[in-house]
Amino acid sequence: MSDAREGESTADTKEVIMEATFRALSEHGYKDLRMRDIGEEMDLTRQVIHYHFDGKYDLLSSFLEHVIEQYEGSVEVEDDADPRTELDARIDQCLFGPEFEEFSHWDRMKVYHELYTYAQNDGEHRKIFTDHYDRIRGSIVDVIETGIEQGAFRAVDAELMGQLVTDVIHAARGRRISLGHEDAPAEARAAIDEFILDSLYAEG
């Protein structure tokens, strides 16, 4: 059996399946999702899904990693950008997201957070989320440490500050999604600037 189906490469086929999974999850939710729901959201035959994935759990694990890769690979910062510019870019990407042709950042975050909720009872998915969280926090910590080394920031506990920024981001996203507070990301961004990032600079 060929890896390519109906004129699609393996990578393209998996992309089609991932986007179909987005649509199916958005419509049916995680608990009620069936493989046939995903099949109905794409032009390819449902057998293609079973060719690439060993059932619903395997598909959703791959889907979760796909979502995370989309976000982790979308931060664009110039090589010579100063630490504050890079911090701003990373925080904005987490709070406001990259642009997508189909489904907005918040459409995707709604699906992400639903899977996040169920992960508390799923060791494998919890590990995927934990690793993603650690990478987000670690990237912020790294920029703060670089800024301190370059003399752009005053000496602070980079680990603690990175933890605080990351937690504010997650809290704001949760409030936006769960409570419908559409201003939550912008309010969090303003608070991060005024009460956290501005404190990185020595007075005077």
Side-chain angles (χ1 to χ4, degrees), residues 3 5 10 13-14 17 48-54 58:
D3 282 350
R5 294 299 192 96
T10 296
T13 299
K14 288 186 177 180
I17 295 171
V48 174
I49 301 176
H50 296 287
Y51 176 80
H52 288 287
F53 301 100
D54 295 327
D58 182 40

Side-chain angles (χ1 to χ4, degrees), residues 7 14 105 185 199:
K14 288 186 177 180
H105 164 64
S199 73

Side-chain angles (χ1 to χ4, degrees), residues 35-61:
M35 294 291 274
R36 71 174 62 179
D37 298 323
I38 299 171
E40 291 172 357
E41 294 292 340
M42 63 184 193
D43 293 332
L44 302 177
T45 61
R46 190 166 28 136
Q47 284 70 25
V48 174
I49 301 176
H50 296 287
Y51 176 80
H52 288 287
F53 301 100
D54 295 327
K56 176 181 172 181
Y57 188 82
D58 182 40
L59 170 56
L60 288 177
S61 297

Side-chain angles (χ1 to χ4, degrees), residues 130-165:
T130 298
D131 290 346
H132 175 49
Y133 180 90
D134 288 344
R135 287 192 296 271
I136 291 176
R137 182 186 57 79
S139 68
I140 293 173
V141 170
D142 287 345
V143 178
I144 294 172
E145 289 179 339
T146 297
I148 294 171
E149 292 171 1
Q150 294 179 355
F153 299 151
R154 66 184 180 87
V156 298
D157 186 328
E159 290 282 348
L160 192 60
M161 182 166 281
Q163 184 74 66
L164 176 59
V165 171

